[in-house]
Each structure stands twice: as structure tokens, then as C-alpha cells.
Amino acid sequence: MLFGDYMLIKNSLDEMKKREISLKVIKSIIDKKGKNSLCDLTGLSGGFLATQNDLNLLETYIGPAIFEEELQIVGKEHLGGEKIFAVNRTSSGILATILAIVKKNTKVIHFLPEFPAHPSIPRSCKLVGAKYSEFDNIDDFKNNFSEDTSLVVITGSTMDHKILEMNDFKAVISIAKNNNIPVLVDDASGARLRTAIYSQDKAIDLGADLVVTSTDKLMMGPRGGLMAGRSELIDKIKTKAHQFGLEAQPPSILAMVKGLEEYDGNNLRESLSKKEKLVLLVDNNFSMFEGTPTGIMVSEKSLEKEVLLNNEINPNISSKDLCFLWAMILLKQENIITIPAVSMPGASPTIRFDLAANDAKNLNINFLFDKINSSFKTLLSVSKDENLARKVLFNIE
Ligand SMILES: *Cc1c(COP(=O)(O)O)cnc(C)c1O
């Protein structure tokens, strides 16, 4: 990742520290005001649905055997495919696949609807010494395709919830098929967004050999990855994953099964009317917001522009810093959790308010708008003052 242009948060270590601070802030809000005072709009709050009976089973050897079998059933219903494999995170599934399938000096080509790609894909390629390239334009993809490719990766829906067009999806798969190259679809959020909101087909039904999805994105599951695909490939990936400890553990598998059982695409579709109301409100007052499939978002560049419309920004505060700052203000001042406050190093700095999140179910949209407004006002004063900005990011108070 390029960190040259950010100033307060300079590298992965700073990002990790920022996350630690956020978690402490969250803990202190819960201690002082209770869990209900927090509003998690990340859309990846996940959950751990389990009955006491499930938990008792978990303590034995029988439990994992039962959950594993159930996972095969509900997993195939959700993703299709011949075999299901649960991994620790989507990133772990991507790494395990690349370790298992991609040889040194061969090519991995990634097609996605919009940059940036999730960092786990280029990082895993680097680890095995593969040549990685990525395209968001189908002609460039075709022109750069070559036979020494060992894996084609497709992102179905990006970290910012940009969805791949059906035509491009099919075109990429057919090129890979014609050349006998396996296709992995990174459908972290797409397995639900693409299908429930855009009525697209499952990745496997579109001809992908493998798919991986995040079980905490737009569903009530744990942080984890669920893979599906051709048995022969899944077996190879599973073998590799076990060698490096990338597989999901029984408690996660239990929570995945419960989350998948609970999942209902209708709940996602119900967020759409709330989204429309919020879009009207924010667009009347700001120019920085864009719609997402289930909410609104502000990109790094749009946020910077909007702040500059109002005042100057301290030269030591970058556009990425602004995102982290706003996320931290939203958390500390308004008790709203957005991804940049709690994200892992390298994740997208885009601020997203996801109305498909569980905490959005009973949320008054006018109330949310007021909080967005007042936190942005605070951001305007913080962005002028480097010392204050540092405090906001790195102090718990
Ligand atoms: C979230 C996401 C990932 C990574 O998921 P983790 O569970 O954090 O590893 C990978 N790709 C895309 C497109 C994502 O949105």
C-alpha cells in the first residue's frame, strides 16, 4: 500500500493502533451507557446466534461433527457448489486458494468493477511470487490475458459495494473457461448484495469454480469466510489451509450455520426505502454523498472536497486522515460505528452508513441525519488543527 500521502495515519501500524483505540472507546461507551447506546452501521456487525444447547454441544466432539454437516447443507443453499469449506476470514480463503493453486512466476489476473481491490489478493500473490495484474475494463482484461495465467479472480462487489455488471461477469468467466483457467470469485458482500438487491445469479451458477464470501457482511454471522466450489479444488485448498491454520474453528462454524439459517434477502430489500429518505436529506445539504446498494457513502476524495468548501485543511492532514477522523468523531461524539474506525490495515477509508445493518432496523432517519450533520461540523473544526486531530485519533477521550 502507498502511505506516502497520509500524514497522521502513516502506515499499517498506525492503522492497527487506531483500531485499538476505537475498540477501547467502544468498550467505554458500553460501560457508561450500555450496548444499546451504540449504533453499528458498518453492515458487518455480524453476530453469534447460538442457543445454550448449541453451546453445550460445542464442548464435545459431537458438536463440531454436527455443525460441519449442517454447514454443507446451508452453505450450498447460499452459494451453490459441490463442497463447502469454512475459513477464518475471506482473506484467509483467498490466501489458501492462491497458496494451493498458483505457482511461482505464473499470472493471476483480477477483474473488478472499480478499484481498489481488496489488499489480500495482491498480497497473497506477492507471497507466492506470482505476477499480479488487475483490470476494471473488459477490453484491457481481454488484451492482457495470457496463457501462463494460473488463476482468474473476479470481485463481485467491491469493499465500497460497487457491483460487477452481469455482462462483464459472464465475459470474464467465458475467457477463463476457454483457456481452462480456474475462476475464484471474491463475493465478500456480493453473495448477498448481488443476489438480493440486484437479482443477479450466484457466482457458482455463473460458472465460477470457486467463491468466497464474508459471513459477517450483510448477514448475522461471525467474522469469517465461507467458500464453495468444485470438490477437487476445495480439497486442495482445504489441505493447504490446515497446514497454515487458516480454517474456521468450530465456534465460528456453529455461528456461520446459525447466521446462514437466519439470512433472508427480504431484510436487505427492506433497507431500500430508508436509504431513499436518507439520500434526499443528505443531498439537500451536502454534495459529498453517493448511494450504495443499501445505504450512503462518502469517498476519501469527496470528503476532502466538502471540507474544503467550508474551510482550509491543515497541510499535515491527508484525505485518508479526514476519513479516519470523521469515523472517530462519529464514534466518540455520536456513538455511531463506521468501518474506518474499526477496520483492519489496508481496508477502504470510505465512510459508509449501511441501512441494512441490524442496528438500522429501529433507527429514525431524521435522527441519523442530525448526527451526520453535527459530526461533520466537528470534523470541520478538527481538520484545521493538527494537534486536536491527533488527539481525536490517538486518545481515548
Ligand atoms: C471484506 C472484503 C474482503 C475481506 O474480508 P475479511 O473477512 O476481512 O478477510 C475481501 N474482499 C472484499 C471485496 C471485501 O469486501
Side-chain angles (χ1 to χ4, degrees), residues 287-288 300-310 313 322:
S287 42
M288 62 181 167
E300 179 187 333
K301 290 294 162 217
S302 309
L303 179 60
E304 183 174 55
K305 262 197 210 156
E306 187 92 29
V307 173
L308 284 173
L309 285 179
N310 292 275
I313 300 173
L322 282 178

Side-chain angles (χ1 to χ4, degrees), residues 100-121:
I101 296 183
V102 175
K103 297 238 155 39
K104 194 175 173 178
N105 291 328
T106 62
K107 277 190 183 164
V108 172
I109 313 186
H110 181 191
F111 190 80
L112 67 171
E114 184 184 78
F115 299 125
H118 191 270
S120 60
I121 303 168

Side-chain angles (χ1 to χ4, degrees), residues 44 88-92 94 118 120-121 155 157-161 186-189 214 216-217 223-225 344:
L44 23 97
N88 185 47
R89 278 176 49 189
T90 290
S91 300
S92 324
I94 289 167
H118 191 270
S120 60
I121 303 168
T155 291
S157 158
T158 64
M159 291 183 279
D160 291 338
H161 290 182
D186 173 359
D187 232 0
S189 59
S214 296
D216 66 340
K217 288 184 177 164
R223 185 77 180 259
M344 305 288 177

Side-chain angles (χ1 to χ4, degrees), residues 212-255:
V212 59
T213 192
S214 296
T215 54
D216 66 340
K217 288 184 177 164
L218 303 147
M219 63 174 274
M220 289 279 286
R223 185 77 180 259
L226 188 74
M227 296 200 74
R230 277 170 38 209
S231 298
E232 168 228 341
L233 290 174
I234 291 283
D235 286 343
K236 272 193 192 169
I237 294 165
K238 200 167 171 177
T239 309
K240 253 319 165 202
H242 284 303
Q243 290 169 5
F244 293 97
L246 302 171
E247 78 281 5
Q249 298 305 303
S252 290
I253 295 179
L254 161 60

Side-chain angles (χ1 to χ4, degrees), residues 141 145 151-152 154 170-183 209:
F141 176 85
F145 192 85
L151 179 69
V152 168
I154 296 175
K170 287 179 179 162
V172 172
I173 288 191
S174 99
I175 294 168
K177 291 253 162 243
N178 290 339
N179 291 277
N180 284 321
I181 294 160
V183 176
D209 302 280

